[in-house]
Amino acid sequence: MSAKTFISLLAFCYFTKSLTGAYTKSTITQIERRFEIPSSTAGIINSGFEMGNLLVITVVSYFGAKFHRAKIIGAGVLLMGTGTLIMALPHFIMGRYKYNTDAALTNDADNFTVSSTCSFDTKNTVQQLVSGCLKEQAESSPMWVIVPFGNILRGIGEASIGPLGMSFIDDYAHPENSAFYIGCLNTLGVTGPFFGYLLGSLCANLYVDIGLVNQESVTITPQDSRWVGAWWLGYVVSGLLTLPAALPLWFLPRALPESPQTSTLDHPSNQHKDTLSITEIAKDFGPSLKRLLTSVDYLLYLAYSVLAFNAFAIVVTYTPKYLEQQFGQSASKTNFLIGVTSVPGVALGVFLSGWIVKRFKLSLLGSARLMFLCFVTSLVCSMPFFALSCKNTDVAGVTVPYQSHDLLTSCNAHCGCPNFQWDPVCGQNGMTYISPCHAGCNSTQGAGQNMTFRSCKCIQSWGLTSGNSSAVLGQCSRESNCTKMFYIYLALQSLVFFVYSLGTVPLLLISLRIVDPALKSLSVGIFMLALRVFGGIPAPIFFGALIDSTCLKWGQKKCGGSGACRIYDIETFRYLFLGLICSFKAFSNILLWILVTKIKRNVHSDKEMSKDTELQHPGICDPKQENTPM
């Protein structure tokens, strides 16, 4: 069997894992709303993958390289598929979603479909609040912890794919083909997010309890901040797709006879490794780790990568949420457009990255320079993002005052509206009110999504006649140019991702080529470990907490306590999101410039040593030149 066959199988594993990863990012807002949790808690769910990866990545990358790597990768893929299916489990345990829990109102035993007006019976509201609270405690409160548990299993399973897969390719492929193969592998893997976001778009547009409720009774739309799509469905699909990918890997041989390197790796003198005990192998782990962590070049590379990965983790985790909030788009539309605009640019960039390294036969220094150029250019291209913005929706009492009054004012003071309520309506004055009650509406007309609220005193206070004082369900639309800004942002983001991706293959190759060949698997393992500990785990959590700090109106659970955020201060959100990402990129590029300078000095030093050796011993080549990284 050739290296190409192994790469094809490994590429499918990359596809399924990246599909699930992208789908997970696309469901962040859906999960927040379904479990009524803040963004910081959703960040913990997202970081579960990194936590699981962290538990085993170093051990797998070191010990796995000493045994049958293909079988170990297969076992990891099997665990990935199982963890993905577990992530969908809460949906089948919990009861149906009650999207109007903030108002705690119902005329139905199964759902909350009637919004309160100024004349609503508040005594009945309190009684239903108590009964709803008891039911909520019984069915849903702790269920969200199952999702990160499944994600942790995904992370444990994935730990073998990167380090063992890349080192396997680099060991058994021809040296001139290694970069190209890794580029192709990552290009095929990048197609996974394309389908992941498309799957996320489809599921987000389907109501969470699809098939179990009458869709006509659902009074909210995908644009509503309480809408929850069928978030669980994508995990079932991707989990079932992942499981079969594990089987073929169990039937692959231990070695691939393609490269001259194979003769060295599989020489009889090295075959005794098959019979070494784990204890004997472990004895060399400490010295190997010490050699790795005393390399200045490698430490600089790690420091750069950690800072850059913090920015990357924030981008991939919260970009869908940022676009939804900043431009007032639905999760379905956002995920679809991210998939069709950004992912192809990334795939093309990764492919061209590997092609450029092979076509121009870039050395270690050339690869580092290409990476630096691409990453700096992508940072410069990101600057216009700050100018692409929309204004917050005008929400009475939240983002704008009630004619210079607070949340409760003369037009609705007698209505007894609960402050925790969130059932927004759009008045004919262009103002959004957090409920028909807060708009002072006294009657209703129609049913379902076509319901209209009449005689709204707070709308009349704007000088409108009683005939023009109605409101409809949902928030008012953003300004007309907001959608245009959204499309410009997506186009520019696609360009930024493309330019950044041109440096990805050099980024991976450097981790393999700045260390001793015997330490390749360990270097990738430590590299991924550092990214998880200092980037992948903390970044989504601490930035989720920063997002929470911009919340202007929290949802409320029936039993008390905050739920998911309903509306954010999007200007503060924008400066936090873009500012933090650009800061991480700027500081990481400074470290990358230092690393490039250091590699350049090492190359010049090696050339000087080579000249001295030739002068002293004509005709004898410097052995270092024979092992000069590509």
Side-chain angles (χ1 to χ4, degrees), residues 270-284:
N270 292 326
Q271 294 300 319
H272 71 282
K273 292 182 180 179
D274 290 333
T275 60
L276 288 178
S277 67
I278 294 179
T279 303
E280 292 174 313
I281 296 174
K283 290 180 180 179
D284 190 47

Side-chain angles (χ1 to χ4, degrees), residues 230-249:
W231 63 274
W232 54 274
L233 183 58
Y235 291 115
V236 174
V237 173
S238 58
L240 293 177
L241 185 64
T242 300
L243 290 176
L247 184 62
L249 290 165

Side-chain angles (χ1 to χ4, degrees), residues 40 48 76 144 179 258 322 425 453 530 548 604 629:
S40 55
W144 68 268
E258 175 172 330
Y322 175 78
V425 293
F453 301 89
D548 291 338
H604 289 169

Side-chain angles (χ1 to χ4, degrees), residues 200 386 433:
F386 287 93
Y433 296 85

Side-chain angles (χ1 to χ4, degrees), residues 18-54:
S18 59
L19 183 151
T20 308
Y23 182 79
T24 301
K25 311 302 181 187
S26 75
T27 60
I28 287 295
T29 54
Q30 309 294 309
I31 289 175
E32 286 181 22
R33 296 168 184 174
R34 181 63 184 98
F35 297 99
E36 291 291 344
I37 55 177
S39 293
S40 55
T41 303
I44 295 175
I45 293 176
N46 181 77
S47 296
F49 178 85
E50 314 294 343
M51 295 175 186
N53 203 278
L54 169 65

Side-chain angles (χ1 to χ4, degrees), residues 149-458:
F149 174 72
N151 214 14
I152 287 173
L153 292 182
R154 278 189 61 237
I156 293 174
E158 193 272 347
S160 63
I161 296 179
L164 301 186
M166 283 199 299
S167 64
F168 197 67
I169 292 172
D170 201 55
D171 283 344
Y172 292 102
H174 287 285
E176 64 270 18
N177 290 333
S178 179
F180 183 70
Y181 285 162
I182 292 176
C184 291
L185 177 67
N186 283 277
T187 300
L188 293 173
V190 165
T191 61
F194 175 78
F195 290 98
Y197 279 112
L198 293 186
L199 181 61
S201 174
L202 173 63
C203 294
N205 206 39
L206 301 173
Y207 187 64
V208 59
D209 293 316
I210 181 174
L212 298 177
V213 299
N214 181 3
Q215 295 297 310
E216 294 181 357
S217 68
V218 180
T219 60
I220 58 176
T221 66
Q223 284 73 30
D224 195 290
S225 62
R226 295 163 296 164
W227 174 272
V228 175
W231 63 274
W232 54 274
L233 183 58
Y235 291 115
V236 174
V237 173
S238 58
L240 293 177
L241 185 64
T242 300
L243 290 176
L247 184 62
L249 290 165
W250 284 81
F251 298 97
L252 300 185
R254 176 187 172 96
L256 303 177
E258 175 172 330
S259 170
Q261 300 176 77
T262 306
S263 60
T264 302
L265 292 167
D266 298 328
H267 192 273
S269 64
N270 292 326
Q271 294 300 319
H272 71 282
K273 292 182 180 179
D274 290 333
T275 60
L276 288 178
S277 67
I278 294 179
T279 303
E280 292 174 313
I281 296 174
K283 290 180 180 179
D284 190 47
F285 179 75
S288 297
L289 185 62
K290 182 179 179 181
R291 287 168 58 197
L292 195 62
L293 298 182
T294 52
S295 169
V296 176
D297 291 357
Y298 186 74
L299 291 178
L300 277 172
Y301 175 75
L302 278 186
Y304 154 77
S305 299
V306 165
L307 288 177
F309 195 73
N310 271 271
F312 175 78
I314 294 172
V315 168
V316 299
T317 303
Y318 291 111
T319 288
K321 184 181 182 72
Y322 175 78
L323 296 179
E324 290 173 39
Q325 297 298 326
Q326 188 66 221
F327 302 103
Q329 303 296 322
S330 69
S332 176
K333 182 177 180 180
T334 299
N335 290 328
F336 174 78
L337 290 176
I338 289 176
V340 300
T341 60
S342 298
V343 176
V346 173
L348 180 60
V350 172
F351 175 79
L352 290 179
S353 179
W355 181 83
I356 290 172
V357 172
K358 180 184 178 182
R359 172 66 178 79
F360 297 99
K361 299 180 181 180
L362 295 182
S363 63
L364 178 62
L365 178 59
S367 297
R369 284 172 170 169
L370 173 62
M371 185 172 67
F372 178 71
L373 175 63
C374 293
F375 293 169
V376 170
T377 303
S378 72
L379 175 59
V380 173
C381 292
S382 300
M383 293 298 105
F385 284 147
F386 287 93
L388 298 173
S389 63
C390 297
K391 295 181 180 179
N392 254 334
T393 301
D394 289 340
V395 181
V398 180
T399 61
V400 294
Y402 274 95
Q403 299 287 291
S404 302
H405 291 283
D406 294 324
L407 192 61
L408 294 178
T409 186
S410 58
C411 63
N412 61 21
H414 65 288
C415 298
C417 309
N419 287 338
F420 57 77
Q421 192 171 1
W422 180 263
D423 190 17
V425 293
C426 178
Q428 283 188 299
N429 57 350
M431 180 74 68
T432 297
Y433 296 85
I434 67 174
S435 76
C437 181
H438 287 82
C441 303
N442 290 300
S443 62
T444 63
Q445 179 180 345
Q449 295 183 8
N450 297 320
M451 185 182 297
T452 301
F453 301 89
R454 302 289 186 181
S455 303
C456 304
K457 292 185 178 180
C458 294

